[in-house]
């Protein structure tokens, strides 16, 4: 099953945290920062799987290597889009390549909902991120991988994504420095397979 | 009233870069105020802001009651925020959860699908057994909801309920199964069911065999890749139970492999074939040969072609699974797998290493280890430092070499520093690969010793523990100190392989002198390698090239050693060395010898005496013993008049006989782990018999003895401290002269590439040894100028004067290596020469090196031929038991969902678990078991009901939910209510824990409601742990 779904940006600031088991806020933050250090040190062209962060490895690897334990989170999959990192922590029972595609589906769904999604959309509409995610994953189990259904499901919850960011920008209210350049739409990198 | 919206908050955050902390604190304060207000809109907004701040790491558990308030809002968009808050912030110990039950039930029964899905999605995050029990009845009807989205979410939520409350499945499974079988069901609901079945499947595959036909149908129908992957995974767990499935599955799987465009599906097909054990039951099915080849070639293709790192990674994962059952299939792919060791991606490297470890053989060991060593060398910070120094040194010599040094330096900068735990991991694997099966794969032990020497330098320094001497706590011993492991390997080689013992001892000597020169006076010595290495130096002292120097290094090191276990070994080594140096009974007792001996003893005493006060007992004891022994000896030595030309005097016997005889016993051999247990008990042994009848009196006498005080220690200490480290003074000059010429000799083609991972001095020694070895070999051409192994005129002169047999050469050499690695080359050659007398012999017989097996007693071949060395075993076992105990302690990994309860539940017979199919005794036993299980479940149910009743009461009374139930908090409940009932729950818990048959009766009794007697007995014992019962008794 999937144990956690995380999104953070290139500076390690969380944009979405979803843990499918209850965890203390402080431990959540530690885990995020450990994963961030791992993820930000990847050389170009590396695979989308991380070695276990110390927090998970401490309890996981020692015995999981000898006798695979299906309940233990032992796979950290990540994907990088423009300024954002998407992370899935899962047990070894999930399909690694499947998870990579799952992240892709999630991002594409967001892209459809926001039309050319960028980090700012995600920051200001983090509730929509949660809604979208819960159309795909419930309690750590994937319930839907079909894009149309996901998007329809989100829209059915009355959460038509607005673009407050653009309005804000028009009004000059948004912090000046961040508007430009972060847009994901243009430099989306699809590693599509 | 101008409350901030979420947008304002986020914008504010961005505008306050720098003093965000303060800004956030202000916001939190505002939120606190807002969330307490009456206006629901303000409340919800404040909550949304809190959720955002929680994501960034600010605790919001204090707001849980307000979360509940917002959850109960009638407006959907507010309710949604409330539920989000619950999902993100509720923890197992959140107390208001009890209050939420009714709300959840109400929302589950709502009409709007949007509202229904809120509690359904939230439940998996906050579920507890009690909550599961009370919401189950409301959740089940949602399986038939007209909206497919609700149905599929409900199915998954039911699964999560079952994880904490297995009874869920008994009622829910038939309905879920019905949905799965229904061909008209919405495909996405079917997919969700398959996902859940897959999750359940690996826990209890037997229950799902009957579903195989339907699942097979779904697999063949195709369409949804995610579902197909899950189905394949599920089948992989089913096939071991039902081999006939294999034949059925192979056609569609091979078909998929050949046709599917989705790489993930292709991979999972292969993976499924591997995991399902379908691969290569060659006698069973001739087609499987074909499928095995197909799989392996596909996997090979994933690694070899197109350079997609993800494919490489998953292919390695798959190989890791195959290697368990079909090592030969993987061995064929050695070439591509080895390439992966050098990948710049650590994840891939680790996986490749896992594999390689199992593939080591005589032929590839050296090349594999060389690869790993190269990695370690180029990326270890210490080596780049050394290289840097080297570059600088060379610069003064010739610009050419400076260029080379600099480029090497640059290269090492390019490689990213490896994480420490990775380095440790790799070193551990190298040791394991080389030593496995009692060094079966190892051919060249000299090479291994050099590798070990290099590893000691590369090994990361163990984490600095607190400086107080209590750091000897066992925990440090357990933090696997990798450098100690390396040292242990060296020791094992020295003990087990007599042919290379000399080389091993020299290596130990080198390491000691290096530790000595590296560590500055103020630093503590933390390398664990010192312990085994000092042992080698002590035990095989007669094979050291210069015992005197080694002794003085050890004496300098001891005061700075951090770990007492290391000191104890060092002390022993010091005395052994001393015995060797002083114990020569051939030489005359001249005045010169007398003074040098008393000086030496004074030095040793100076080091030992402070240790007599060491807080660690073992150190203290040894220090005291040796101090007293040496004092006696010193007295004897000073009393013995030196021989003159006329009178010949023998050296004192204490010096030449007594002390050496302490250490000249049997040779030590490696002993198999556990051999001690096989030692038979001597017949006449009586451990209770007193050692001496008048022991007490003797002890009392000893107490009254006064020890003579030593007056002249300070005087001697004065001399000791002044003592210049021997032979260092005039060294640098020689070095400079010696190193220039033959620096750039390319090493023999046989060993090409060594220079990339061995330090210069080690290399030089190897090269010299090789030259010596080949001197008489007609196939090697010697350079005419180098025949003596010397390189400069001055050196030649020296050598000629002193004669080659004099060991003078070796002294500066040892120093050189430490002092200045880069200049060791030339002298290294001569070192090799002096060593040659010893080294030559083992070399020539290298092909039939004898590796001593571990000694053991009377257990026959089994453990006598145990593959690995006893020490290694021991340490492994230790760490094993450690990890096990640790694993037990942590039991559950972070993030892990515990699903162990599921295993206890039987799905087969939801109508009644009693109609077991067995006959006779077997059946009886089973019935009994089933009955007991049933009873236990009943008890459990009752207890939950009690808890629920209790909650209801409290909720009704409006009492804040402190101290309610949650199973673990029975004590606090006790205060609330009267004492009776607990008996039930108590015994139920016991039944579950002990699972003893004897308790069955008790469990049943309790369920029948007839358990009062027992209730009372337990009550006495545990009067405190009580839950109130009135309802429960009623319902029971």
């Amino acid at each position: 099953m999937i144990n956690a779904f995380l999104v953070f940006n290139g500076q390690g600031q969380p944009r979405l945290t979803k843990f499918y088991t209850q965890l203390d806020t402080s431990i959540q933050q530690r885990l995020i920062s450990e994963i961030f250090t791992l993820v930000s040190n990847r050389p170009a062209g590396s695979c989308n799987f991380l070695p276990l962060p110390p927090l998970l490895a401490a309890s996981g690897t020692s015995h999981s290597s000898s006798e695979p334990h299906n309940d233990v989170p032992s796979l950290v999959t990540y994907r990088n889009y423009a300024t954002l990192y998407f992370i899935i922590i899962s047990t070894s029972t999930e399909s690694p390549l499947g998870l990579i595609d799952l992240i892709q589906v999630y991002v594409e769904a967001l892209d459809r909902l926001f039309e050319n999604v960028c980090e700012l959309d995600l920051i200001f509409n983090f509730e929509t991120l949660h809604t979208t995610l819960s159309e795909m994953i419930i309690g750590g189990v994937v319930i839907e991988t079909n894009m149309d259904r996901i998007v329809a499901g989100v829209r059915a919850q009355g959460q038509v994504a607005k673009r407050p960011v653009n309005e804000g920008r028009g009004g000059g209210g948004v912090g000046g420095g961040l508007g430009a350049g972060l847009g994901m739409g243009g430099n989306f990198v699809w590693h599509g397979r | 009233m101008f409350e901030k919206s979420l947008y304002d908050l986020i914008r504010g955050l961005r505008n306050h870069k720098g003093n965000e902390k303060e800004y956030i604190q202000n916001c939190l304060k505002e939120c606190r105020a807002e969330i307490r207000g009456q206006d629901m809109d303000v409340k919800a907004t404040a909550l949304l802001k809190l959720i955002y701040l929680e994501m960034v790491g600010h605790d919001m558990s204090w707001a849980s009651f307000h979360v509940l308030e917002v959850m109960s809002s009638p407006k959907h968009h507010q309710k949604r925020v409330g539920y989000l808050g619950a999902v993100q912030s509720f923890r197992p110990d959140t107390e208001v959860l009890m209050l939420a039950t009714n709300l959840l039930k109400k929302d589950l029964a709502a009409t709007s699908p949007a509202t229904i899905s809120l509690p359904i999605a939230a439940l998996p995050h906050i579920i507890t057994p009690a909550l599961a029990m009370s919401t189950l009845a409301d959740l089940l009807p949602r399986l038939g909801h007209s909206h497919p989205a609700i149905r599929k979410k409900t199915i998954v939520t039911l699964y999560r309920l079952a994880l904490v409350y297995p009874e869920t499945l008994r009622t829910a499974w038939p309905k879920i199964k019905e949905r799965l079988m229904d061909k008209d069901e919405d495909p996405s609901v079917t997919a969700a069911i398959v996902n859940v079945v897959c999750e359940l499947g690996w826990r209890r595959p037997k229950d799902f065999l009957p579903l195989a036909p339907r699942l097979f149908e779904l697999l063949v129908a195709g369409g949804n890749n995610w579902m197909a992957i899950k189905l394949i995974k599920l089948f992989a767990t089913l096939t071991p139970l039902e081999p006939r499935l294999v034949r059925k599955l192979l056609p569609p799987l091979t078909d998929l492999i050949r046709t599917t465009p989705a790489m993930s599906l292709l991979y999972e097909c292969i993976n499924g074939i591997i995991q399902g054990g379908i691969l290569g039951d060659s006698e069973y099915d001739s087609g499987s040969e074909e499928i095995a080849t197909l799989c392996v070639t596909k996997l090979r293709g994933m690694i070899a072609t197109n350079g997609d790192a993800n494919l490489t990674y998953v292919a390695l994962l798959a190989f890791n699974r195959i290697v368990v059952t079909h090592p030969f299939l993987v061995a064929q792919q050695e070439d591509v797998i080895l390439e992966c060791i050098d990948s710049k991606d650590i994840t891939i490297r680790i996986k490749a290493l896992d594999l390689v470890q199992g593939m080591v053989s005589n032929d590839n060991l050296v090349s594999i280890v060389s690869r790993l060593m190269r990695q370690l060398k180029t990326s270890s910070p210490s080596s780049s430092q050394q290289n840097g120094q080297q570059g600088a040194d060379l610069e003064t010599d010739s610009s050419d070499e400076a260029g080379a040094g600099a480029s090497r330096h640059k290269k090492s900068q390019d490689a990213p520093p490896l994480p420490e735990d990775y380095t440790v991991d790799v070193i551990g694997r190298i040791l394991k690969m080389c030593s496995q099966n009692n060094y079966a794969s190892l051919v060249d032990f000299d090479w291994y010793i050099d590798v070990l020497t290099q590893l000691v330098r590369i090994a990361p320094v163990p984490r600095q523990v607190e400086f107080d001497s209590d750091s000897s706590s066992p925990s440090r011993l357990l933090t696997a100190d990798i450098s100690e492991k390396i040292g242990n390997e060296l020791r094992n080689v020295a003990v087990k392989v007599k042919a290379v013992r000399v080389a091993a001892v020299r290596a130990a000597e080198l390491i000691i002198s290096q530790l000595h020169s590296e560590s500055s006076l103020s630093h503590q010595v933390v390398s664990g390698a010192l312990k085994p290495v000092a042992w080698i130096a002590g035990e095989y002292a007669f094979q050291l090239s210069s015992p005197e120097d080694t002794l003085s290094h050890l004496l300098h090191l001891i005061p700075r050693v951090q770990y007492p276990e290391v000191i104890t070994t060092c002390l022993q080594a010091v005395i052994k060395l001393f015995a060797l140096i002083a114990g020569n009974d051939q030489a005359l007792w001249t005045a010169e010898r007398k003074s040098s001996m008393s000086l030496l003893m004074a030095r040793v005493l100076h080091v030992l005496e402070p240790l007599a006060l060491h807080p660690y007992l073992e150190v203290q004891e040894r220090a005291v013993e040796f101090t007293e022994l040496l004092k006696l000896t010193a007295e004897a030595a000073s009393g013995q008049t030196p021989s003159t030309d006329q009178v010949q005097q023998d050296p004192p016997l204490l010096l030449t006989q007594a002390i050496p005889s302490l250490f000249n016993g049997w040779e030590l051999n490696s002993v198999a782990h556990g051999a001690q247990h096989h030692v038979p008990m001597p017949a006449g042994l009586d451990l209770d018999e007193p050692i001496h009848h008048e022991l007490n009196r003797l002890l009392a006498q000893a107490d009254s003895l006064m020890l003579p005080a030593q007056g002249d220690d300070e005087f001697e200490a004065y001399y000791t401290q002044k003592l210049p480290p021997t032979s260092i003074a005039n060294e640098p000059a020689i070095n400079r002269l010696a190193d220039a010429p033959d620096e750039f000799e390319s090493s023999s083609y046989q060993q090409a590439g060594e220079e990339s991972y061995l330090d210069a001095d080690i290399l030089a020694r190897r090269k010299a040894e090789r030259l010596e070895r080949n001197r008489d070999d007609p196939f090697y051409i010697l350079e005419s100028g180098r025949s003596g192994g010397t390189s400069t005129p001055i050196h030649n002169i020296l050598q000629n004067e002193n004669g080659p047999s004099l060991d003078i050469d070796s002294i500066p050499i040892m120093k050189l290596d430490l002092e200045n690695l880069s200049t060791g080359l030339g002298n290294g050659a001569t070192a090799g020469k002096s060593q040659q007398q010893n080294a030559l012999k083992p070399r020539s017989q290298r092909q039939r090196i004898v590796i001593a097996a571990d000694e053991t007693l009377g257990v026959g071949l089994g453990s006598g031929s145990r593959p690995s060395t006893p020490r290694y075993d021991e340490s492994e076992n230790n760490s094993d038991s450690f990890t096990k105990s640790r694993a037990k302690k942590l039991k559950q990994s972070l993030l892990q969902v515990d699903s162990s309860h599921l295993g206890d539940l039987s799905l087969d017979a939801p109508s009644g678990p009693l109609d077991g199919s067995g006959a006779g005794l077997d059946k009886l036993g089973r019935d009994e078991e089933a009955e007991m299980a049933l009873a236990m479940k009943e008890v459990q149910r009752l207890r939950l009901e009690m808890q629920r009743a209790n909650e209801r009461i409290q909720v009704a009374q409006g009492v804040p939910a402190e101290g309610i139930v949650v199973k673990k908090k029975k004590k606090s409940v006790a205060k609330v209510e009267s004492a009776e009932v607990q008996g039930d729950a108590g015994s139920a818990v016991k039944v579950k824990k002990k699972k003893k048959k004897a308790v069955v009766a008790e469990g049943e009794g309790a369920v029948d409601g007839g358990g009062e007697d027992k209730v009372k007995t337990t009550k006495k014992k545990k009067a405190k742990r009580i839950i109130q019962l009135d309802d429960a008794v009623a319902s029971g």
Side-chain angles (χ1 to χ4, degrees), chain A residues 1 3-4 13-25 27-29 31 42-51 55-56 58-60 62-63 69-73 75 89 92-102 120 123-127 130 134-135 138-145 149 156-159 162 164 168 173-175 178 193, chain B residues 6-7 10-11 14-15 48 51-52 54-59 76-77 80-81 84 87-88 90-92 114 117-118 120-121 124-127 152-153 156-157 159-160 186-188 192 195-196 199 202-203 224 226 229-230 233 263-264 267-268 308-311 313-314 317 321 344-348 350 883 886-887 890 892-900:
Chain A
M1 65 173 283
N3 299 89
Q13 293 165 318
R15 293 296 175 228
L16 169 78
T17 59
K18 183 73 95 183
F19 291 88
Y20 292 100
T21 36
Q22 297 173 329
L23 215 57
D24 262 355
T25 308
I27 298 181
Q28 288 181 359
Q29 294 297 320
L31 193 60
R42 304 286 287 170
S46 337
C47 65
N48 290 17
F49 306 97
L50 295 177
L55 214 55
L56 292 178
S59 43
S62 51
H63 40 268
H69 213 280
N70 286 334
D71 264 340
V72 180
L75 187 65
I89 305 175
S92 59
T93 49
E94 294 295 335
S95 155
L97 296 178
L99 290 176
I100 296 182
D101 292 346
L102 189 70
L120 280 179
I123 297 172
F124 287 102
N125 295 294
F126 82 110
E127 215 190 332
H130 282 287
S134 72
E135 286 301 308
I138 293 278
V141 179
V142 175
I143 52 163
E144 189 57 82
T145 50
R149 283 166 179 276
Q157 308 231 359
Q159 203 144 36
K162 287 166 274 175
V174 188
L178 51 101
R193 107 180 48 257
Chain B
L6 177 66
Y7 302 142
I10 297 170
R11 276 173 207 158
R14 302 179 147 257
N15 288 334
L48 196 58
I51 298 172
Y52 186 87
E54 199 270 348
M55 174 170 75
V56 198
H58 299 274
D59 182 61
H76 178 73
H77 69 272
R80 200 174 55 207
V81 174
L84 182 58
V87 165
Q88 296 297 99
F90 280 10
R91 307 280 176 255
S117 61
L118 287 178
I120 292 180
H125 293 266
I126 56 176
I127 199 69
K152 66 185 180 195
K153 287 180 186 175
V156 175
T157 303
Y159 159 69
R160 288 301 299 260
D186 187 290
S188 74
N195 280 336
V196 167
E199 289 291 329
W202 58 259
R203 294 187 179 102
N224 181 344
W226 183 271
I229 290 175
K230 288 289 177 183
K233 280 182 173 292
M263 193 56 93
S264 53
Y267 169 72
E268 291 302 335
D308 185 332
N310 291 325
L311 295 185
Y313 175 80
V314 291
L317 273 186
R321 290 192 180 113
K344 54 190 185 316
D345 186 342
I346 283 197
T347 330
I348 290 181
I350 294 176
T883 46
R886 200 179 49 167
L890 292 175
Q892 221 174 314
S893 150
L894 202 63
L895 280 177
Q896 180 180 338
V897 175
D898 183 21
S899 65
S900 48

Side-chain angles (χ1 to χ4, degrees), chain B residues 509-521:
Chain B
E509 198 174 13
L510 187 67
I511 292 170
I512 291 177
S513 63
Q514 200 204 352
L515 282 174
H516 167 65
S517 67
E518 257 177 13
S519 55
S520 62
L521 279 175

Side-chain angles (χ1 to χ4, degrees), chain B residues 324-479:
Chain B
V324 182
T325 50
H326 299 76
F328 59 95
L329 283 180
V330 181
Q332 291 162 3
Q333 318 304 324
E334 188 187 314
D335 48 342
V336 280
I337 294 169
L338 280 184
E339 281 309 309
C340 296
I341 293 185
D342 281 336
S343 163
K344 54 190 185 316
D345 186 342
I346 283 197
T347 330
I348 290 181
R349 267 194 213 176
I350 294 176
K351 284 297 162 209
L353 273 180
D354 284 341
L355 263 179
V356 163
Q357 211 168 330
M359 303 180 353
V360 189
S361 71
N362 283 345
D363 304 326
N364 59 19
L365 179 74
V366 173
S367 77
I368 291 176
V369 174
S370 305
R371 273 172 193 264
L372 294 176
M373 292 292 292
R374 213 169 297 132
Q375 273 178 27
L376 293 175
K377 180 94 195 294
T378 46
S379 69
S380 80
S382 63
S383 85
S384 70
Q385 219 175 39
Q386 274 165 8
N387 282 347
Q389 278 172 5
Q390 227 165 37
D393 286 336
L394 291 172
E395 215 158 1
T396 59
D397 290 345
S398 84
S399 57
D400 219 18
E401 286 154 22
S407 74
R408 211 186 314 175
H409 186 42
K410 214 169 79 193
K411 204 167 68 193
S412 72
Q413 272 179 336
D414 284 350
L418 297 171
E420 196 169 277
D421 47 353
Y422 175 76
T423 314
V424 170
D425 186 42
V426 170
I427 295 179
R429 285 171 200 266
I430 291 178
L431 298 182
K432 211 166 180 184
M433 279 189 269
C434 292
S435 65
Q436 67 190 2
N437 294 333
N438 205 16
Y439 302 98
S441 323
L442 199 57
V443 179
D444 185 348
F445 275 93
D446 292 290
W447 168 82
Y448 187 41
I449 289 170
D450 290 332
V451 165
L452 289 175
T453 319
Q454 180 69 51
L455 280 179
V456 170
R457 298 183 193 178
I458 292 175
V461 181
R463 244 168 290 130
Q464 195 86 12
V465 209
E466 321 81 88
F467 270 88
D468 60 332
S469 39
D470 288 335
S471 60
S472 59
S473 62
S475 67
R476 188 211 71 89
L477 282 175
L478 292 171
T479 55

